[in-house]
Amino acid sequence: AQSVTQLGSHVSVSEGALVLLRCNYSSSVPPYLFWYVQYPNQGLQLLLKYTSAATLVKGINGFEAEFKKSETSFHLTKPSAHMSDAAEYFCAVIYTGTASKLTFGTGTRLQVTL
Amino acid sequence: DTAVSQTPKYLVTQMGNDKSIKCEQNLGHDTMYWYKQDSKKFLKIMFSYNNKELIINETVPNRFSPKSPDKAHLNLHINSLELGDSAVYFCASSQMGGRHNEQFFGPGTRLTVL
């Protein structure tokens, strides 16, 4: 079955440290790839998306993600974490032929400490 | 200007009741979706409508019935509510085939069944 795997349900980093959130998809055909962020008691906000125009995608709030076909990965990074980055992050994919159905990973809660 | 709006934001009700959640989008999109987020934050698609036609119908109890009166609205009616229906329900919209199928989410409706 087509799925999305996010390694690490909880990641804790110090303020100013590198943020790395992992996402792997399960398809030989690259799907559409997205990262969404959810702040407490709020909806989902799109951080960035892979459009096949470039393997390194820049998003909002200083986040970026790199698409690696050989590793079927789309990991999210930010060079320097800020307290305001604390939230739940979801990787999501739309696989070919699924009528735009978003399949979400299980989410990674990012905690940022002083 | 709210792009995707949902009402109500909170809904508390007793087991066995029937309730509806409404969703409206002013983005001019032709496709709308309902997602369910459970207590563990897991997000899963329930339904999708394209131009008022049902195109995605995941394994959802038939107590859940979506209705799309026009392209800008997608409502969710739930009969005979059960404790397990407690969750946050998100509405989303997109333009099929456009902008790499980017979906815009509403703020969510938190349903609590007592």
Side-chain angles (χ1 to χ4, degrees):
Chain A
Q2 294 171 326
S3 62
V4 184
T5 302
Q6 287 185 244
L7 282 178
S9 59
H10 184 230
V11 171
S12 182
V13 301
S14 300
E15 191 173 38
L18 171 72
V19 175
L20 171 60
L21 305 182
R22 300 177 186 274
C23 173
N24 288 86
Y25 61 91
S26 60
S27 171
S28 59
V29 177
Y32 295 115
L33 293 153
F34 308 84
W35 275 99
Y36 283 88
V37 61
Q38 185 178 30
Y39 298 101
N41 297 314
Q42 292 190 26
L44 293 158
Q45 181 182 7
L46 182 68
L47 273 178
L48 49 79
K49 60 187 177 188
Y50 170 66
T51 64
S52 75
T55 56
L56 185 61
V57 182
K58 294 189 184 301
I60 61 171
N61 302 339
F63 283 92
E64 58 185 36
E66 186 172 8
F67 169 71
K68 290 187 177 179
K69 184 178 178 181
S70 60
E71 299 177 6
T72 60
S73 68
F74 191 56
H75 301 331
L76 182 71
T77 60
K78 182 174 181 178
S80 177
H82 192 271
M83 295 295 288
S84 61
D85 294 327
E88 192 87 23
Y89 292 79
F90 293 94
C91 181
V93 305
I94 296 177
Y95 288 107
T96 304
T98 62
S100 296
K101 180 174 77 171
L102 261 177
T103 298
F104 283 90
T106 49
T108 297
R109 172 157 292 184
L110 177 65
Q111 181 182 16
V112 183
T113 59
L114 288 172
Chain B
D1 289 342
T2 303
V4 182
S5 59
Q6 296 179 226
T7 54
K9 188 170 175 59
Y10 299 97
L11 185 52
V12 181
T13 188
Q14 300 286 332
M15 262 197 318
N17 285 350
D18 303 338
K19 291 293 178 185
S20 292
I21 306 171
K22 296 182 185 298
C23 178
E24 176 180 4
Q25 54 95 4
N26 62 7
L27 298 168
H29 290 159
D30 61 2
T31 306
M32 296 184 73
Y33 313 79
W34 278 112
Y35 290 87
K36 179 180 179 181
Q37 185 174 45
D38 64 21
S39 58
K40 295 184 178 179
K41 301 285 189 182
F42 186 62
L43 278 152
K44 191 172 178 3
I45 193 166
M46 301 173 69
F47 303 103
S48 175
Y49 272 76
N50 174 252
N51 286 317
K52 302 194 297 177
E53 288 194 25
L54 183 66
I55 58 170
I56 296 175
N57 186 356
E58 292 292 287
T59 308
V60 176
N62 57 15
R63 298 181 295 103
F64 289 78
S65 52
K67 283 188 173 53
S68 181
D70 55 56
K71 287 196 304 183
H73 296 84
L74 180 61
N75 304 322
L76 183 65
H77 187 75
I78 315 171
N79 289 324
S80 304
L81 278 155
E82 300 178 356
L83 293 176
D85 297 332
S86 295
V88 181
Y89 293 85
F90 287 101
C91 177
S93 74
S94 73
Q95 183 63 28
M96 187 66 76
R99 294 190 65 185
H100 305 281
N101 296 298
E102 179 180 340
Q103 294 182 21
F104 294 80
F105 283 79
T109 296
R110 183 175 294 275
L111 172 64
T112 302
V113 182
L114 304 175

